[in-house]
Amino acid sequence: MDKSMRDMQKEVDDYIGQFKEGYFSPLAMMARLTEEMGELAREVNHYYGEKPKKSSEEEKTIEEELGDVLFVAICLANSLEIDLQTAHDRVMNKFQTRDKDRWTKIEEDK
């Protein structure tokens, strides 16, 4: 079953809502998001960069780290009452208008 962004935001909100502590402060979540981005960067570097993992390092995946980044980003958005579907639509509109001629398009076969 495919989930919409709103479904994901509600699922995270339902999960966080079961705890008395609720969402962390925006600043704490920003720090956590930065931490998760660092973990993602480390994984990407291991798979595609020049820094292989040490044999003692835990095996993680880029997919898992992206999931962590997404979860924290959703938490931050929820705590600030930001609808990520609307935010996504706005940024796509920006790319499709302001930046529409910025990149070389692949020519369609005729």
Side-chain angles (χ1 to χ4, degrees):
M1 174 182 133
D2 289 339
K3 295 178 187 177
S4 70
M5 185 58 71
R6 287 189 181 111
D7 292 338
M8 288 188 273
Q9 283 192 259
K10 183 177 182 334
E11 184 176 16
V12 169
D13 197 55
D14 289 346
Y15 173 76
I16 297 295
Q18 67 183 326
F19 304 110
K20 289 180 182 179
E21 295 82 2
Y23 290 106
F24 296 152
S25 71
L27 188 57
M29 281 192 277
M30 192 64 226
R32 183 151 178 241
L33 185 58
T34 301
E35 177 186 351
E36 296 297 351
M37 289 297 293
E39 291 175 13
L40 174 60
R42 186 174 180 83
E43 286 303 303
V44 170
N45 194 23
H46 287 316
Y47 283 97
Y48 300 104
E50 289 71 42
K51 186 178 178 192
K53 279 194 177 204
K54 297 175 188 171
S55 59
S56 61
E57 287 184 282
E58 181 182 348
E59 186 65 32
K60 289 193 175 184
T61 65
I62 293 171
E63 178 182 17
E64 180 181 346
E65 297 304 336
L66 276 170
D68 289 345
V69 168
L70 180 60
F71 178 82
V72 177
I74 290 171
C75 285
L76 180 59
N78 284 355
S79 75
L80 298 172
E81 298 182 1
I82 293 171
D83 181 321
L84 286 172
Q85 184 68 53
T86 300
H88 170 78
D89 292 346
R90 286 182 181 155
V91 78
M92 288 308 299
N93 183 59
K94 177 176 65 177
F95 283 115
Q96 292 167 345
T97 55
R98 184 193 73 187
D99 295 339
K100 68 182 172 87
D101 297 320
R102 186 173 187 180
W103 311 109
T104 308
K105 291 190 177 175
I106 299 170
E107 296 295 325
E108 291 184 30
D109 291 333
K110 293 184 179 188

